[in-house]
Amino acid sequence: MTINKGDRMSKDSRLTKEELLAVMHNVQDAIFVIALNKELKIEGFVEVNEAACKQLKYSRKELLSLSPLDIIDPSALHFIYKELQDIMYGKSITIDSMLMTKERERIPVVMSHRMVEMVEDHKFIVCTVRDHRKPGEIQRLLDKVIKQYDSLFYFHPDFVFSLDEKGAITNLNPAGELMLKYELSELIGKSFEIMIPHDEQEKTKDAFQKNIQGQTMQFESAIVNKLQQRIDLNVTSVPIILHDQVIGIIGIARNVTLQNKTKRLLEESEQRYRSLFEFNVDAVLTLDLEGRFLEVNQATERLTGYHADELLEKSFLPLIVPEDRERTFHHFQKALEGNPQQYETSMYNKNDEKMYFHITIIPIFIDRILTGIHCIGKDITEKKRIEEKMNYLAFHDSLTELPNQRLFRFEGNQALKEAKEKRGMIAVCFLDLDRFKFINDYLGHEIGDLLLQKVANRLEKVLKDKGRAFRYGGDEFILLLKNTSEVEVLSTAKNVIENISKPFNLNGFEAVVTASMGISLYPHHGETPFTLIKKADNAMYHAKRQGKNNFQIYGSYVRGMTNGNLKLETLMHKALEQQELLLLYQPQMDAKTNTIYGVEGLIRWNNDELGMVSPQEFIPVAEETGLIVPIGEWVIRTACKQNKEWQQKGLSPIVVSVNLSIRQFYQSDLIEKIDAILKETQLDPCFLELEITESMAMHADTAIVILTELKKLGVKIAIDDFGTGYSSLNYLKRFPIDHLKVDRSFVKDIQVDDDRDIITTIIALGHNLKMKVIAEGVETKEQVAFLKKAKCDILQGYYYSKPLDSKMIEEMLLHQS
């Protein structure tokens, strides 16, 4: 076989792998061979020569374990990505770049790349790298500039980035990677727009375009990071200019998310505060530490009548009424000590009208330093006026405007206390008009009321500064004389009796009325108001038996007179046994439907010896002796039994009301007795109403417990004679009351403006407390018209019917059906 010389030479000239590597290692320039996968993506180094190892200060083994991306300075990566496409098309590409040594030193280089295709379709990139460092001082200066740039770029706490002229990301610092949650390699070559939220796109693109035109920009924008978290940024960006040509931009972005959130919260907080301040219906104002106005809202101007300019920088204290200044200033001082305060005070508005406010003052602390006081003032003027009116009603008689029993008890106790301390004397005089019943019956209730008013006026004139007159009830008055002597008391009593006996002009009719008076003295006759009244009352009855129109001082001869009640008491004990008591029923009419809502059970006593005895005569004796308890129990049982009988006859169910006496109310077994009666008679509790007076509920805490237990039985509760006693609005709200019964004295004087106002006030009060209101003593068409117009719920009186026996009530219910 002949061997061709050329073939032999060709075969001999082939280099082995070892020879090829030897050639690579002898080349002075660094050579890197990079493998590509089937998708033409860089996999890693497959070979490097000794110059490459020397250049980058790695061993061959170390370099072969790295990726090309590990040795290229991040700032130059984008050039590689830009030119990679041309390399894949077989072009030979030479670019300036920057490599990183093992010690992270940057080396400027010139890199030549060419793709080489081997057998079995394997593809590689052969990269020749030539060191492009400048000699001597130039390189040192260049290194210094690079290090300064590196310090600014890599160690800056804010997000530092660079873009090329098309907006592609060319670099970002570690702070940027941390913020974006991306690595640089994931973003290189991608448009910045992919991270900008839709609402910030237009503004951010506009800023980029102005950068490319050579302008420096500072603006607010936002990005969405890899975790889809929105981050607000404050961006400063400047153009990168090379040879008078903008080739990209570099920017610093500061995270202002928390700052913006805080700002928004502060703005919202300010808006909420302004809304609370400006649109509050209450007066809201700010004071400095000296009590001067710093800021006031419109409500303050409206309520006080002063314009803000008239208040600002002026002290609040002169506006407070003199008697409230010391207490108000005390609360202000407490607030200056850091303690919030709530209290009530009063002030004069610009029209010199007195106004009442509920005040809340709150210290203002800024950085733990007290800087001022916030004040909120709720106008309670109307509430105070109603309370004052109700308190006046509670302590004064509405007809004569004299103080009433309640005020006497208070002032009597005070007078006794002072007398005990000073070892002085006081006198209680019980006065009763002798012919009042005749005048009342003969001339009518209007003239009778006029007489009572004139008597009250005359008493006040006679007493002047010597004492004080109180209306006790009906035609009875009490005089209280303090710091007196027996001689002065007798002189005053004589003067009173003489003046009362002078004629009264009663609307053209001249009437002469006399009075009988009984007197008791402290300390001779008692040490409590109750004892002194009782003994003065006994002395007054003795004065009547002495021929009236005179006065008597309590003594042994008066004590004997009380025995006259023994016969009445003895007969009353037999009244229950002999079935002498009877119950009448007065209808209560629904004001809207004019149908019977219920009836009130009224007791009567028909005695063979005494005849028909009025409750006004025997009830006080029953109260004093305790007989009222069994009598009251009889009344409740009889009323319940009768009501059940009406229902069993098929009549419309109605409520029956009965009065509880004070002794009954505070009986320890009251609840058990009523419960037993209801079960005995089988009456549904909702058809029984128990009436108590205001004075019975004076011991409010105990009364609330009793009333609550009664309500648990299911019965209804009414306050009787409302407006003549004493009721605290606070306790009245807490009592489980169904009805308020307006006292007949107000209804009787309904033509008087004051009484009309009182009735209207009581009805409004009852309705506000979710109670129905019953008017007693309705006798005329005019009274009915007024009460219906005032929205009174239930009417009771002679206009509709007098008290009737059970048969007549039954007929009315049948007729109503």
Side-chain angles (χ1 to χ4, degrees), residues 31-52:
I31 298 175
F32 301 86
V33 181
I34 303 167
L36 300 175
N37 62 18
K38 291 181 179 180
E39 288 78 30
L40 298 182
K41 292 186 177 178
I42 295 174
E43 286 191 336
F45 295 120
V46 295
E47 191 58 72
V48 294
N49 66 353
E50 289 182 7

PDB file of all heavy atoms in Angstrom, residues 31-52:
ATOM      1  N   ILE A  31      -6.428  33.276  28.157  1.00  0.00           N
ATOM      2  CA  ILE A  31      -7.415  32.624  27.298  1.00  0.00           C
ATOM      3  C   ILE A  31      -8.404  31.871  28.193  1.00  0.00           C
ATOM      4  O   ILE A  31      -8.012  31.128  29.095  1.00  0.00           O
ATOM      5  CB  ILE A  31      -6.738  31.657  26.311  1.00  0.00           C
ATOM      6  CG1 ILE A  31      -5.789  32.427  25.377  1.00  0.00           C
ATOM      7  CG2 ILE A  31      -7.793  30.887  25.502  1.00  0.00           C
ATOM      8  CD1 ILE A  31      -4.990  31.532  24.441  1.00  0.00           C
ATOM      9  N   PHE A  32      -9.706  32.071  27.887  1.00  0.00           N
ATOM     10  CA  PHE A  32     -10.776  31.374  28.593  1.00  0.00           C
ATOM     11  C   PHE A  32     -11.639  30.663  27.565  1.00  0.00           C
ATOM     12  O   PHE A  32     -12.029  31.258  26.547  1.00  0.00           O
ATOM     13  CB  PHE A  32     -11.655  32.360  29.365  1.00  0.00           C
ATOM     14  CG  PHE A  32     -10.917  33.179  30.404  1.00  0.00           C
ATOM     15  CD1 PHE A  32     -10.275  34.363  30.049  1.00  0.00           C
ATOM     16  CD2 PHE A  32     -10.878  32.757  31.722  1.00  0.00           C
ATOM     17  CE1 PHE A  32      -9.604  35.106  30.999  1.00  0.00           C
ATOM     18  CE2 PHE A  32     -10.214  33.509  32.681  1.00  0.00           C
ATOM     19  CZ  PHE A  32      -9.560  34.682  32.320  1.00  0.00           C
ATOM     20  N   VAL A  33     -11.892  29.382  27.776  1.00  0.00           N
ATOM     21  CA  VAL A  33     -12.805  28.630  26.914  1.00  0.00           C
ATOM     22  C   VAL A  33     -14.082  28.380  27.715  1.00  0.00           C
ATOM     23  O   VAL A  33     -14.043  27.778  28.795  1.00  0.00           O
ATOM     24  CB  VAL A  33     -12.184  27.292  26.465  1.00  0.00           C
ATOM     25  CG1 VAL A  33     -13.154  26.546  25.546  1.00  0.00           C
ATOM     26  CG2 VAL A  33     -10.865  27.537  25.750  1.00  0.00           C
ATOM     27  N   ILE A  34     -15.215  28.873  27.124  1.00  0.00           N
ATOM     28  CA  ILE A  34     -16.497  28.847  27.849  1.00  0.00           C
ATOM     29  C   ILE A  34     -17.457  27.899  27.128  1.00  0.00           C
ATOM     30  O   ILE A  34     -17.650  28.014  25.906  1.00  0.00           O
ATOM     31  CB  ILE A  34     -17.102  30.242  27.903  1.00  0.00           C
ATOM     32  CG1 ILE A  34     -16.114  31.227  28.560  1.00  0.00           C
ATOM     33  CG2 ILE A  34     -18.429  30.246  28.669  1.00  0.00           C
ATOM     34  CD1 ILE A  34     -16.485  32.676  28.377  1.00  0.00           C
ATOM     35  N   ALA A  35     -18.039  26.963  27.845  1.00  0.00           N
ATOM     36  CA  ALA A  35     -18.977  26.004  27.258  1.00  0.00           C
ATOM     37  C   ALA A  35     -20.382  26.615  27.203  1.00  0.00           C
ATOM     38  O   ALA A  35     -20.793  27.361  28.091  1.00  0.00           O
ATOM     39  CB  ALA A  35     -19.005  24.727  28.086  1.00  0.00           C
ATOM     40  N   LEU A  36     -21.098  26.288  26.095  1.00  0.00           N
ATOM     41  CA  LEU A  36     -22.504  26.683  25.939  1.00  0.00           C
ATOM     42  C   LEU A  36     -23.369  25.424  25.930  1.00  0.00           C
ATOM     43  O   LEU A  36     -22.949  24.387  25.407  1.00  0.00           O
ATOM     44  CB  LEU A  36     -22.711  27.461  24.644  1.00  0.00           C
ATOM     45  CG  LEU A  36     -21.920  28.764  24.483  1.00  0.00           C
ATOM     46  CD1 LEU A  36     -22.149  29.366  23.093  1.00  0.00           C
ATOM     47  CD2 LEU A  36     -22.318  29.768  25.533  1.00  0.00           C
ATOM     48  N   ASN A  37     -24.561  25.513  26.467  1.00  0.00           N
ATOM     49  CA  ASN A  37     -25.459  24.348  26.395  1.00  0.00           C
ATOM     50  C   ASN A  37     -26.231  24.388  25.093  1.00  0.00           C
ATOM     51  O   ASN A  37     -25.998  25.267  24.240  1.00  0.00           O
ATOM     52  CB  ASN A  37     -26.365  24.304  27.618  1.00  0.00           C
ATOM     53  CG  ASN A  37     -27.274  25.536  27.710  1.00  0.00           C
ATOM     54  OD1 ASN A  37     -27.481  26.255  26.732  1.00  0.00           O
ATOM     55  ND2 ASN A  37     -27.796  25.787  28.910  1.00  0.00           N
ATOM     56  N   LYS A  38     -27.169  23.463  24.930  1.00  0.00           N
ATOM     57  CA  LYS A  38     -27.913  23.373  23.670  1.00  0.00           C
ATOM     58  C   LYS A  38     -28.764  24.616  23.428  1.00  0.00           C
ATOM     59  O   LYS A  38     -29.093  24.927  22.285  1.00  0.00           O
ATOM     60  CB  LYS A  38     -28.799  22.134  23.688  1.00  0.00           C
ATOM     61  CG  LYS A  38     -27.991  20.826  23.640  1.00  0.00           C
ATOM     62  CD  LYS A  38     -28.921  19.615  23.624  1.00  0.00           C
ATOM     63  CE  LYS A  38     -28.104  18.325  23.553  1.00  0.00           C
ATOM     64  NZ  LYS A  38     -28.976  17.116  23.525  1.00  0.00           N
ATOM     65  N   GLU A  39     -29.165  25.326  24.518  1.00  0.00           N
ATOM     66  CA  GLU A  39     -29.949  26.564  24.351  1.00  0.00           C
ATOM     67  C   GLU A  39     -29.043  27.772  24.183  1.00  0.00           C
ATOM     68  O   GLU A  39     -29.500  28.914  24.205  1.00  0.00           O
ATOM     69  CB  GLU A  39     -30.844  26.796  25.588  1.00  0.00           C
ATOM     70  CG  GLU A  39     -32.031  25.845  25.705  1.00  0.00           C
ATOM     71  CD  GLU A  39     -31.601  24.482  26.215  1.00  0.00           C
ATOM     72  OE1 GLU A  39     -30.611  24.428  26.969  1.00  0.00           O
ATOM     73  OE2 GLU A  39     -32.256  23.480  25.858  1.00  0.00           O
ATOM     74  N   LEU A  40     -27.724  27.489  23.990  1.00  0.00           N
ATOM     75  CA  LEU A  40     -26.710  28.530  23.792  1.00  0.00           C
ATOM     76  C   LEU A  40     -26.640  29.482  24.984  1.00  0.00           C
ATOM     77  O   LEU A  40     -26.424  30.691  24.838  1.00  0.00           O
ATOM     78  CB  LEU A  40     -26.995  29.320  22.515  1.00  0.00           C
ATOM     79  CG  LEU A  40     -26.961  28.488  21.209  1.00  0.00           C
ATOM     80  CD1 LEU A  40     -27.198  29.379  20.007  1.00  0.00           C
ATOM     81  CD2 LEU A  40     -25.633  27.757  21.062  1.00  0.00           C
ATOM     82  N   LYS A  41     -26.801  28.933  26.162  1.00  0.00           N
ATOM     83  CA  LYS A  41     -26.619  29.715  27.380  1.00  0.00           C
ATOM     84  C   LYS A  41     -25.323  29.296  28.043  1.00  0.00           C
ATOM     85  O   LYS A  41     -24.930  28.135  28.014  1.00  0.00           O
ATOM     86  CB  LYS A  41     -27.790  29.512  28.334  1.00  0.00           C
ATOM     87  CG  LYS A  41     -29.086  30.121  27.802  1.00  0.00           C
ATOM     88  CD  LYS A  41     -30.209  30.044  28.832  1.00  0.00           C
ATOM     89  CE  LYS A  41     -31.456  30.715  28.301  1.00  0.00           C
ATOM     90  NZ  LYS A  41     -32.572  30.630  29.249  1.00  0.00           N
ATOM     91  N   ILE A  42     -24.649  30.261  28.641  1.00  0.00           N
ATOM     92  CA  ILE A  42     -23.335  30.022  29.243  1.00  0.00           C
ATOM     93  C   ILE A  42     -23.466  29.049  30.401  1.00  0.00           C
ATOM     94  O   ILE A  42     -24.316  29.205  31.277  1.00  0.00           O
ATOM     95  CB  ILE A  42     -22.733  31.352  29.730  1.00  0.00           C
ATOM     96  CG1 ILE A  42     -22.450  32.268  28.533  1.00  0.00           C
ATOM     97  CG2 ILE A  42     -21.483  31.122  30.554  1.00  0.00           C
ATOM     98  CD1 ILE A  42     -22.000  33.659  28.912  1.00  0.00           C
ATOM     99  N   GLU A  43     -22.574  28.025  30.372  1.00  0.00           N
ATOM    100  CA  GLU A  43     -22.568  27.051  31.452  1.00  0.00           C
ATOM    101  C   GLU A  43     -21.400  27.280  32.409  1.00  0.00           C
ATOM    102  O   GLU A  43     -21.569  27.265  33.614  1.00  0.00           O
ATOM    103  CB  GLU A  43     -22.478  25.633  30.895  1.00  0.00           C
ATOM    104  CG  GLU A  43     -23.791  25.158  30.267  1.00  0.00           C
ATOM    105  CD  GLU A  43     -23.760  23.675  29.958  1.00  0.00           C
ATOM    106  OE1 GLU A  43     -22.660  23.138  29.792  1.00  0.00           O
ATOM    107  OE2 GLU A  43     -24.847  23.072  29.889  1.00  0.00           O
ATOM    108  N   GLY A  44     -20.189  27.473  31.857  1.00  0.00           N
ATOM    109  CA  GLY A  44     -19.045  27.678  32.735  1.00  0.00           C
ATOM    110  C   GLY A  44     -17.744  27.500  31.947  1.00  0.00           C
ATOM    111  O   GLY A  44     -17.736  27.230  30.733  1.00  0.00           O
ATOM    112  N   PHE A  45     -16.582  27.677  32.619  1.00  0.00           N
ATOM    113  CA  PHE A  45     -15.289  27.498  31.971  1.00  0.00           C
ATOM    114  C   PHE A  45     -15.000  25.997  31.810  1.00  0.00           C
ATOM    115  O   PHE A  45     -15.212  25.205  32.736  1.00  0.00           O
ATOM    116  CB  PHE A  45     -14.165  28.115  32.819  1.00  0.00           C
ATOM    117  CG  PHE A  45     -14.272  29.614  32.951  1.00  0.00           C
ATOM    118  CD1 PHE A  45     -14.402  30.208  34.198  1.00  0.00           C
ATOM    119  CD2 PHE A  45     -14.235  30.437  31.820  1.00  0.00           C
ATOM    120  CE1 PHE A  45     -14.485  31.570  34.329  1.00  0.00           C
ATOM    121  CE2 PHE A  45     -14.326  31.812  31.958  1.00  0.00           C
ATOM    122  CZ  PHE A  45     -14.465  32.395  33.205  1.00  0.00           C
ATOM    123  N   VAL A  46     -14.470  25.647  30.618  1.00  0.00           N
ATOM    124  CA  VAL A  46     -13.979  24.265  30.425  1.00  0.00           C
ATOM    125  C   VAL A  46     -12.452  24.240  30.347  1.00  0.00           C
ATOM    126  O   VAL A  46     -11.845  23.190  30.542  1.00  0.00           O
ATOM    127  CB  VAL A  46     -14.604  23.613  29.178  1.00  0.00           C
ATOM    128  CG1 VAL A  46     -16.094  23.447  29.364  1.00  0.00           C
ATOM    129  CG2 VAL A  46     -14.332  24.458  27.928  1.00  0.00           C
ATOM    130  N   GLU A  47     -11.876  25.453  30.083  1.00  0.00           N
ATOM    131  CA  GLU A  47     -10.404  25.497  30.055  1.00  0.00           C
ATOM    132  C   GLU A  47      -9.958  26.937  30.202  1.00  0.00           C
ATOM    133  O   GLU A  47     -10.633  27.866  29.742  1.00  0.00           O
ATOM    134  CB  GLU A  47      -9.844  24.910  28.760  1.00  0.00           C
ATOM    135  CG  GLU A  47      -8.333  24.694  28.798  1.00  0.00           C
ATOM    136  CD  GLU A  47      -7.918  23.777  29.951  1.00  0.00           C
ATOM    137  OE1 GLU A  47      -8.181  22.545  29.880  1.00  0.00           O
ATOM    138  OE2 GLU A  47      -7.393  24.302  30.955  1.00  0.00           O
ATOM    139  N   VAL A  48      -8.827  27.125  30.878  1.00  0.00           N
ATOM    140  CA  VAL A  48      -8.177  28.434  31.006  1.00  0.00           C
ATOM    141  C   VAL A  48      -6.675  28.202  30.920  1.00  0.00           C
ATOM    142  O   VAL A  48      -6.176  27.111  31.239  1.00  0.00           O
ATOM    143  CB  VAL A  48      -8.529  29.097  32.345  1.00  0.00           C
ATOM    144  CG1 VAL A  48     -10.011  29.439  32.431  1.00  0.00           C
ATOM    145  CG2 VAL A  48      -8.131  28.231  33.535  1.00  0.00           C
ATOM    146  N   ASN A  49      -5.920  29.218  30.460  1.00  0.00           N
ATOM    147  CA  ASN A  49      -4.468  29.029  30.393  1.00  0.00           C
ATOM    148  C   ASN A  49      -3.792  29.635  31.611  1.00  0.00           C
ATOM    149  O   ASN A  49      -4.453  30.239  32.473  1.00  0.00           O
ATOM    150  CB  ASN A  49      -3.893  29.598  29.082  1.00  0.00           C
ATOM    151  CG  ASN A  49      -4.023  31.128  29.012  1.00  0.00           C
ATOM    152  OD1 ASN A  49      -4.652  31.741  29.884  1.00  0.00           O
ATOM    153  ND2 ASN A  49      -3.423  31.723  27.977  1.00  0.00           N
ATOM    154  N   GLU A  50      -2.474  29.501  31.666  1.00  0.00           N
ATOM    155  CA  GLU A  50      -1.721  29.967  32.838  1.00  0.00           C
ATOM    156  C   GLU A  50      -1.775  31.483  32.959  1.00  0.00           C
ATOM    157  O   GLU A  50      -1.815  32.038  34.069  1.00  0.00           O
ATOM    158  CB  GLU A  50      -0.270  29.504  32.742  1.00  0.00           C
ATOM    159  CG  GLU A  50      -0.108  28.014  32.959  1.00  0.00           C
ATOM    160  CD  GLU A  50       1.364  27.589  32.913  1.00  0.00           C
ATOM    161  OE1 GLU A  50       2.217  28.492  32.847  1.00  0.00           O
ATOM    162  OE2 GLU A  50       1.603  26.382  32.964  1.00  0.00           O
ATOM    163  N   ALA A  51      -1.810  32.192  31.805  1.00  0.00           N
ATOM    164  CA  ALA A  51      -1.883  33.653  31.827  1.00  0.00           C
ATOM    165  C   ALA A  51      -3.185  34.117  32.497  1.00  0.00           C
ATOM    166  O   ALA A  51      -3.212  35.108  33.219  1.00  0.00           O
ATOM    167  CB  ALA A  51      -1.776  34.210  30.399  1.00  0.00           C
ATOM    168  N   ALA A  52      -4.288  33.378  32.228  1.00  0.00           N
ATOM    169  CA  ALA A  52      -5.568  33.721  32.854  1.00  0.00           C
ATOM    170  C   ALA A  52      -5.500  33.555  34.362  1.00  0.00           C
ATOM    171  O   ALA A  52      -5.979  34.393  35.137  1.00  0.00           O
ATOM    172  CB  ALA A  52      -6.682  32.845  32.271  1.00  0.00           C
TER     173      ALA A  52
END
